[in-house]
PDB file of all heavy atoms in Angstrom:
ATOM      1  N   VAL A 128     103.775 101.521  90.882  1.00  0.00           N
ATOM      2  CA  VAL A 128     102.744 101.705  89.843  1.00  0.00           C
ATOM      3  C   VAL A 128     101.568 102.498  90.409  1.00  0.00           C
ATOM      4  O   VAL A 128     101.028 103.390  89.737  1.00  0.00           O
ATOM      5  CB  VAL A 128     102.289 100.332  89.285  1.00  0.00           C
ATOM      6  CG1 VAL A 128     101.090 100.475  88.377  1.00  0.00           C
ATOM      7  CG2 VAL A 128     103.434  99.659  88.539  1.00  0.00           C
ATOM      8  N   LEU A 129     101.207 102.186  91.650  1.00  0.00           N
ATOM      9  CA  LEU A 129     100.100 102.911  92.284  1.00  0.00           C
ATOM     10  C   LEU A 129     100.458 104.407  92.414  1.00  0.00           C
ATOM     11  O   LEU A 129      99.651 105.282  92.072  1.00  0.00           O
ATOM     12  CB  LEU A 129      99.839 102.295  93.671  1.00  0.00           C
ATOM     13  CG  LEU A 129      98.599 102.774  94.409  1.00  0.00           C
ATOM     14  CD1 LEU A 129      97.354 102.503  93.584  1.00  0.00           C
ATOM     15  CD2 LEU A 129      98.482 102.062  95.757  1.00  0.00           C
ATOM     16  N   ALA A 130     101.679 104.683  92.863  1.00  0.00           N
ATOM     17  CA  ALA A 130     102.119 106.078  93.019  1.00  0.00           C
ATOM     18  C   ALA A 130     102.097 106.794  91.666  1.00  0.00           C
ATOM     19  O   ALA A 130     101.609 107.918  91.548  1.00  0.00           O
ATOM     20  CB  ALA A 130     103.521 106.117  93.620  1.00  0.00           C
ATOM     21  N   PHE A 131     102.594 106.106  90.633  1.00  0.00           N
ATOM     22  CA  PHE A 131     102.633 106.722  89.303  1.00  0.00           C
ATOM     23  C   PHE A 131     101.214 106.997  88.795  1.00  0.00           C
ATOM     24  O   PHE A 131     100.931 108.065  88.252  1.00  0.00           O
ATOM     25  CB  PHE A 131     103.397 105.831  88.317  1.00  0.00           C
ATOM     26  CG  PHE A 131     103.509 106.458  86.965  1.00  0.00           C
ATOM     27  CD1 PHE A 131     104.478 107.421  86.718  1.00  0.00           C
ATOM     28  CD2 PHE A 131     102.615 106.141  85.944  1.00  0.00           C
ATOM     29  CE1 PHE A 131     104.565 108.050  85.485  1.00  0.00           C
ATOM     30  CE2 PHE A 131     102.693 106.755  84.706  1.00  0.00           C
ATOM     31  CZ  PHE A 131     103.672 107.713  84.479  1.00  0.00           C
ATOM     32  N   THR A 132     100.318 106.017  88.995  1.00  0.00           N
ATOM     33  CA  THR A 132      98.929 106.171  88.519  1.00  0.00           C
ATOM     34  C   THR A 132      98.276 107.389  89.193  1.00  0.00           C
ATOM     35  O   THR A 132      97.555 108.153  88.547  1.00  0.00           O
ATOM     36  CB  THR A 132      98.130 104.882  88.833  1.00  0.00           C
ATOM     37  OG1 THR A 132      98.891 103.776  88.373  1.00  0.00           O
ATOM     38  CG2 THR A 132      96.772 104.878  88.178  1.00  0.00           C
ATOM     39  N   LEU A 133      98.550 107.554  90.475  1.00  0.00           N
ATOM     40  CA  LEU A 133      97.959 108.692  91.196  1.00  0.00           C
ATOM     41  C   LEU A 133      98.551 110.028  90.756  1.00  0.00           C
ATOM     42  O   LEU A 133      97.900 111.074  90.863  1.00  0.00           O
ATOM     43  CB  LEU A 133      98.160 108.521  92.706  1.00  0.00           C
ATOM     44  CG  LEU A 133      97.354 107.401  93.379  1.00  0.00           C
ATOM     45  CD1 LEU A 133      97.818 107.183  94.809  1.00  0.00           C
ATOM     46  CD2 LEU A 133      95.864 107.732  93.356  1.00  0.00           C
ATOM     47  N   LEU A 134      99.780 109.972  90.233  1.00  0.00           N
ATOM     48  CA  LEU A 134     100.418 111.224  89.767  1.00  0.00           C
ATOM     49  C   LEU A 134      99.780 111.748  88.475  1.00  0.00           C
ATOM     50  O   LEU A 134      99.776 112.958  88.236  1.00  0.00           O
ATOM     51  CB  LEU A 134     101.900 110.970  89.498  1.00  0.00           C
ATOM     52  CG  LEU A 134     102.942 111.393  90.525  1.00  0.00           C
ATOM     53  CD1 LEU A 134     104.331 111.026  90.031  1.00  0.00           C
ATOM     54  CD2 LEU A 134     102.896 112.888  90.811  1.00  0.00           C
ATOM     55  N   ILE A 135      99.260 110.813  87.661  1.00  0.00           N
ATOM     56  CA  ILE A 135      98.730 111.215  86.337  1.00  0.00           C
ATOM     57  C   ILE A 135      97.648 112.307  86.442  1.00  0.00           C
ATOM     58  O   ILE A 135      97.780 113.370  85.815  1.00  0.00           O
ATOM     59  CB  ILE A 135      98.237 109.992  85.527  1.00  0.00           C
ATOM     60  CG1 ILE A 135      99.412 109.038  85.278  1.00  0.00           C
ATOM     61  CG2 ILE A 135      97.603 110.411  84.200  1.00  0.00           C
ATOM     62  CD1 ILE A 135      99.016 107.683  84.699  1.00  0.00           C
ATOM     63  N   PRO A 136      96.557 112.094  87.251  1.00  0.00           N
ATOM     64  CA  PRO A 136      95.543 113.169  87.318  1.00  0.00           C
ATOM     65  C   PRO A 136      96.095 114.493  87.846  1.00  0.00           C
ATOM     66  O   PRO A 136      95.622 115.561  87.444  1.00  0.00           O
ATOM     67  CB  PRO A 136      94.461 112.600  88.256  1.00  0.00           C
ATOM     68  CG  PRO A 136      95.045 111.408  88.893  1.00  0.00           C
ATOM     69  CD  PRO A 136      96.153 110.911  88.025  1.00  0.00           C
ATOM     70  N   LEU A 137      97.103 114.421  88.697  1.00  0.00           N
ATOM     71  CA  LEU A 137      97.680 115.680  89.214  1.00  0.00           C
ATOM     72  C   LEU A 137      98.402 116.434  88.098  1.00  0.00           C
ATOM     73  O   LEU A 137      98.281 117.651  87.976  1.00  0.00           O
ATOM     74  CB  LEU A 137      98.651 115.412  90.365  1.00  0.00           C
ATOM     75  CG  LEU A 137      98.142 114.658  91.594  1.00  0.00           C
ATOM     76  CD1 LEU A 137      99.007 114.987  92.800  1.00  0.00           C
ATOM     77  CD2 LEU A 137      96.705 114.999  91.915  1.00  0.00           C
ATOM     78  N   ALA A 138      99.148 115.679  87.276  1.00  0.00           N
ATOM     79  CA  ALA A 138      99.868 116.329  86.167  1.00  0.00           C
ATOM     80  C   ALA A 138      98.857 116.905  85.165  1.00  0.00           C
ATOM     81  O   ALA A 138      99.015 118.032  84.687  1.00  0.00           O
ATOM     82  CB  ALA A 138     100.786 115.318  85.494  1.00  0.00           C
ATOM     83  N   LEU A 139      97.784 116.134  84.886  1.00  0.00           N
ATOM     84  CA  LEU A 139      96.796 116.579  83.895  1.00  0.00           C
ATOM     85  C   LEU A 139      96.008 117.808  84.360  1.00  0.00           C
ATOM     86  O   LEU A 139      95.522 118.578  83.540  1.00  0.00           O
ATOM     87  CB  LEU A 139      95.815 115.443  83.577  1.00  0.00           C
ATOM     88  CG  LEU A 139      96.403 114.238  82.841  1.00  0.00           C
ATOM     89  CD1 LEU A 139      95.335 113.170  82.634  1.00  0.00           C
ATOM     90  CD2 LEU A 139      96.992 114.653  81.484  1.00  0.00           C
ATOM     91  N   THR A 140      95.866 117.972  85.667  1.00  0.00           N
ATOM     92  CA  THR A 140      95.074 119.107  86.176  1.00  0.00           C
ATOM     93  C   THR A 140      95.970 120.207  86.751  1.00  0.00           C
ATOM     94  O   THR A 140      95.523 120.996  87.576  1.00  0.00           O
ATOM     95  CB  THR A 140      94.088 118.639  87.270  1.00  0.00           C
ATOM     96  OG1 THR A 140      94.844 117.999  88.314  1.00  0.00           O
ATOM     97  CG2 THR A 140      93.049 117.686  86.743  1.00  0.00           C
ATOM     98  N   SER A 141      97.232 120.233  86.316  1.00  0.00           N
ATOM     99  CA  SER A 141      98.151 121.207  86.922  1.00  0.00           C
ATOM    100  C   SER A 141      98.058 122.608  86.296  1.00  0.00           C
ATOM    101  O   SER A 141      98.701 123.526  86.773  1.00  0.00           O
ATOM    102  CB  SER A 141      99.590 120.691  86.812  1.00  0.00           C
ATOM    103  OG  SER A 141      99.953 120.628  85.458  1.00  0.00           O
ATOM    104  N   THR A 142      97.258 122.751  85.255  1.00  0.00           N
ATOM    105  CA  THR A 142      97.192 124.063  84.588  1.00  0.00           C
ATOM    106  C   THR A 142      96.315 125.057  85.363  1.00  0.00           C
ATOM    107  O   THR A 142      95.461 124.644  86.157  1.00  0.00           O
ATOM    108  CB  THR A 142      96.595 123.914  83.173  1.00  0.00           C
ATOM    109  OG1 THR A 142      95.287 123.350  83.332  1.00  0.00           O
ATOM    110  CG2 THR A 142      97.427 123.024  82.286  1.00  0.00           C
ATOM    111  N   GLN A 143      96.524 126.342  85.079  1.00  0.00           N
ATOM    112  CA  GLN A 143      95.711 127.399  85.722  1.00  0.00           C
ATOM    113  C   GLN A 143      94.230 127.204  85.395  1.00  0.00           C
ATOM    114  O   GLN A 143      93.365 127.393  86.236  1.00  0.00           O
ATOM    115  CB  GLN A 143      96.153 128.784  85.214  1.00  0.00           C
ATOM    116  CG  GLN A 143      97.543 129.199  85.616  1.00  0.00           C
ATOM    117  CD  GLN A 143      97.611 129.632  87.075  1.00  0.00           C
ATOM    118  OE1 GLN A 143      96.601 129.876  87.703  1.00  0.00           O
ATOM    119  NE2 GLN A 143      98.825 129.700  87.601  1.00  0.00           N
ATOM    120  N   GLY A 144      93.980 126.808  84.128  1.00  0.00           N
ATOM    121  CA  GLY A 144      92.605 126.617  83.656  1.00  0.00           C
ATOM    122  C   GLY A 144      91.899 125.545  84.477  1.00  0.00           C
ATOM    123  O   GLY A 144      90.754 125.746  84.918  1.00  0.00           O
ATOM    124  N   MET A 145      92.584 124.417  84.706  1.00  0.00           N
ATOM    125  CA  MET A 145      91.983 123.321  85.478  1.00  0.00           C
ATOM    126  C   MET A 145      91.799 123.729  86.936  1.00  0.00           C
ATOM    127  O   MET A 145      90.830 123.331  87.575  1.00  0.00           O
ATOM    128  CB  MET A 145      92.869 122.061  85.397  1.00  0.00           C
ATOM    129  CG  MET A 145      92.782 121.351  84.075  1.00  0.00           C
ATOM    130  SD  MET A 145      91.097 120.977  83.563  1.00  0.00           S
ATOM    131  CE  MET A 145      90.798 119.468  84.414  1.00  0.00           C
ATOM    132  N   MET A 146      92.740 124.550  87.406  1.00  0.00           N
ATOM    133  CA  MET A 146      92.656 125.029  88.799  1.00  0.00           C
ATOM    134  C   MET A 146      91.365 125.846  88.985  1.00  0.00           C
ATOM    135  O   MET A 146      90.637 125.657  89.942  1.00  0.00           O
ATOM    136  CB  MET A 146      93.870 125.929  89.045  1.00  0.00           C
ATOM    137  CG  MET A 146      94.373 125.921  90.428  1.00  0.00           C
ATOM    138  SD  MET A 146      95.881 126.899  90.376  1.00  0.00           S
ATOM    139  CE  MET A 146      96.534 126.522  91.933  1.00  0.00           C
ATOM    140  N   ARG A 147      91.112 126.722  87.968  1.00  0.00           N
ATOM    141  CA  ARG A 147      89.919 127.572  88.029  1.00  0.00           C
ATOM    142  C   ARG A 147      88.655 126.732  87.894  1.00  0.00           C
ATOM    143  O   ARG A 147      87.687 126.923  88.601  1.00  0.00           O
ATOM    144  CB  ARG A 147      89.969 128.607  86.897  1.00  0.00           C
ATOM    145  CG  ARG A 147      90.655 129.904  87.317  1.00  0.00           C
ATOM    146  CD  ARG A 147      90.375 131.008  86.328  1.00  0.00           C
ATOM    147  NE  ARG A 147      90.821 130.654  84.986  1.00  0.00           N
ATOM    148  CZ  ARG A 147      92.052 130.880  84.509  1.00  0.00           C
ATOM    149  NH1 ARG A 147      92.934 131.466  85.270  1.00  0.00           N
ATOM    150  NH2 ARG A 147      92.389 130.532  83.284  1.00  0.00           N
ATOM    151  N   ARG A 148      88.709 125.759  86.953  1.00  0.00           N
ATOM    152  CA  ARG A 148      87.519 124.955  86.664  1.00  0.00           C
ATOM    153  C   ARG A 148      87.136 124.060  87.851  1.00  0.00           C
ATOM    154  O   ARG A 148      85.978 123.893  88.169  1.00  0.00           O
ATOM    155  CB  ARG A 148      87.781 124.084  85.424  1.00  0.00           C
ATOM    156  CG  ARG A 148      86.522 123.884  84.603  1.00  0.00           C
ATOM    157  CD  ARG A 148      86.784 123.154  83.303  1.00  0.00           C
ATOM    158  NE  ARG A 148      87.747 123.829  82.454  1.00  0.00           N
ATOM    159  CZ  ARG A 148      88.372 123.233  81.433  1.00  0.00           C
ATOM    160  NH1 ARG A 148      88.144 121.956  81.162  1.00  0.00           N
ATOM    161  NH2 ARG A 148      89.220 123.889  80.676  1.00  0.00           N
ATOM    162  N   LEU A 149      88.147 123.476  88.498  1.00  0.00           N
ATOM    163  CA  LEU A 149      87.849 122.514  89.566  1.00  0.00           C
ATOM    164  C   LEU A 149      87.596 123.172  90.928  1.00  0.00           C
ATOM    165  O   LEU A 149      87.086 122.534  91.847  1.00  0.00           O
ATOM    166  CB  LEU A 149      88.990 121.499  89.696  1.00  0.00           C
ATOM    167  CG  LEU A 149      89.154 120.530  88.526  1.00  0.00           C
ATOM    168  CD1 LEU A 149      90.413 119.695  88.688  1.00  0.00           C
ATOM    169  CD2 LEU A 149      87.951 119.604  88.408  1.00  0.00           C
ATOM    170  N   LYS A 150      87.993 124.437  91.035  1.00  0.00           N
ATOM    171  CA  LYS A 150      87.810 125.223  92.281  1.00  0.00           C
ATOM    172  C   LYS A 150      88.285 124.455  93.515  1.00  0.00           C
ATOM    173  O   LYS A 150      89.412 124.032  93.576  1.00  0.00           O
ATOM    174  CB  LYS A 150      86.352 125.653  92.411  1.00  0.00           C
ATOM    175  CG  LYS A 150      85.939 126.607  91.313  1.00  0.00           C
ATOM    176  CD  LYS A 150      84.602 127.239  91.600  1.00  0.00           C
ATOM    177  CE  LYS A 150      84.227 128.143  90.454  1.00  0.00           C
ATOM    178  NZ  LYS A 150      83.315 127.496  89.509  1.00  0.00           N
ATOM    179  N   ARG A 151      87.352 124.231  94.490  1.00  0.00           N
ATOM    180  CA  ARG A 151      87.758 123.578  95.743  1.00  0.00           C
ATOM    181  C   ARG A 151      88.234 122.141  95.525  1.00  0.00           C
ATOM    182  O   ARG A 151      89.082 121.635  96.245  1.00  0.00           O
ATOM    183  CB  ARG A 151      86.585 123.569  96.722  1.00  0.00           C
ATOM    184  CG  ARG A 151      86.607 124.773  97.644  1.00  0.00           C
ATOM    185  CD  ARG A 151      85.645 124.609  98.774  1.00  0.00           C
ATOM    186  NE  ARG A 151      85.968 123.456  99.604  1.00  0.00           N
ATOM    187  CZ  ARG A 151      85.145 122.938 100.505  1.00  0.00           C
ATOM    188  NH1 ARG A 151      83.962 123.456 100.691  1.00  0.00           N
ATOM    189  NH2 ARG A 151      85.498 121.909 101.243  1.00  0.00           N
ATOM    190  N   ARG A 152      87.629 121.502  94.505  1.00  0.00           N
ATOM    191  CA  ARG A 152      87.973 120.087  94.258  1.00  0.00           C
ATOM    192  C   ARG A 152      89.431 119.941  93.810  1.00  0.00           C
ATOM    193  O   ARG A 152      90.029 118.895  93.965  1.00  0.00           O
ATOM    194  CB  ARG A 152      87.022 119.485  93.201  1.00  0.00           C
ATOM    195  CG  ARG A 152      85.711 119.019  93.826  1.00  0.00           C
ATOM    196  CD  ARG A 152      84.796 118.479  92.795  1.00  0.00           C
ATOM    197  NE  ARG A 152      84.461 119.507  91.810  1.00  0.00           N
ATOM    198  CZ  ARG A 152      84.165 119.264  90.543  1.00  0.00           C
ATOM    199  NH1 ARG A 152      84.153 118.039  90.083  1.00  0.00           N
ATOM    200  NH2 ARG A 152      83.875 120.245  89.710  1.00  0.00           N
ATOM    201  N   TRP A 153      90.006 121.031  93.242  1.00  0.00           N
ATOM    202  CA  TRP A 153      91.411 120.986  92.803  1.00  0.00           C
ATOM    203  C   TRP A 153      92.322 120.730  94.012  1.00  0.00           C
ATOM    204  O   TRP A 153      93.188 119.863  93.993  1.00  0.00           O
ATOM    205  CB  TRP A 153      91.791 122.313  92.126  1.00  0.00           C
ATOM    206  CG  TRP A 153      93.132 122.249  91.464  1.00  0.00           C
ATOM    207  CD1 TRP A 153      93.389 121.894  90.175  1.00  0.00           C
ATOM    208  CD2 TRP A 153      94.408 122.531  92.063  1.00  0.00           C
ATOM    209  NE1 TRP A 153      94.744 121.927  89.934  1.00  0.00           N
ATOM    210  CE2 TRP A 153      95.393 122.315  91.075  1.00  0.00           C
ATOM    211  CE3 TRP A 153      94.816 122.940  93.320  1.00  0.00           C
ATOM    212  CZ2 TRP A 153      96.752 122.499  91.308  1.00  0.00           C
ATOM    213  CZ3 TRP A 153      96.173 123.120  93.567  1.00  0.00           C
ATOM    214  CH2 TRP A 153      97.123 122.900  92.555  1.00  0.00           C
TER     215      TRP A 153
END
Side-chain angles (χ1 to χ4, degrees):
V128 171
L129 189 59
F131 183 81
T132 311
L133 290 170
L134 259 180
I135 299 170
L137 303 203
L139 293 178
T140 57
S141 65
T142 59
Q143 293 284 345
M145 285 308 276
M146 211 174 192
R147 269 195 302 272
R148 214 174 302 163
L149 292 173
K150 295 192 182 98
R151 267 192 61 193
R152 277 178 299 151
W153 189 91

